[in-house]
């Protein structure tokens, strides 16, 4: 596992990076996509959503 992201700027940079990577993956897919491709994109989105929710929780705990 990687080290914890503690700063708000660091967390936001991480999210921006992950969104960019997701965009790159989607842009590289050729149409028509198969079920496996869609499942992979869904897993990436779910993972990203989990991080966003975690970072939101961290910010609420800091207040």
């Amino acid at each position: 596992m990687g080290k914890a992201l503690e700063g708000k700027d660091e967390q936001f940079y991480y999210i921006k990076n992950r969104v960019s990577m997701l965009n790159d993956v989607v842009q590289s897919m050729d149409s028509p996509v198969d079920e496996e491709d869609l499942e992979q994109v869904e897993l990436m989105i779910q993972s990203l959503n989990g991080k966003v929710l975690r970072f939101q929780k961290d910010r609420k705990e800091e207040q």
Side-chain angles (χ1 to χ4, degrees):
M1 299 211 72
K3 68 178 184 118
L5 300 174
E6 295 186 16
K8 291 178 182 180
D9 290 339
E10 191 176 358
Q11 288 176 342
F12 188 68
Y13 177 76
Y14 176 86
I15 296 299
K16 284 174 57 173
N17 234 8
R18 290 284 300 269
V19 168
S20 179
M21 286 190 301
L22 176 59
N23 182 55
D24 291 344
V25 168
V26 172
Q27 292 296 324
S28 71
M29 292 180 172
D30 293 325
S31 261
V33 295
D34 61 22
E35 188 66 27
E36 187 176 315
D37 290 336
L38 290 175
E39 288 174 3
Q40 185 62 34
V41 170
E42 180 182 11
L43 288 173
M44 292 174 73
I45 292 170
Q46 289 174 352
S47 175
L48 180 57
N49 186 54
K51 281 292 188 182
V52 170
L53 293 174
R54 178 63 203 183
F55 293 161
Q56 286 176 326
K57 181 180 176 191
D58 290 348
R59 287 176 183 218
K60 287 178 184 175
E61 289 174 356
E62 288 177 2
Q63 295 177 354

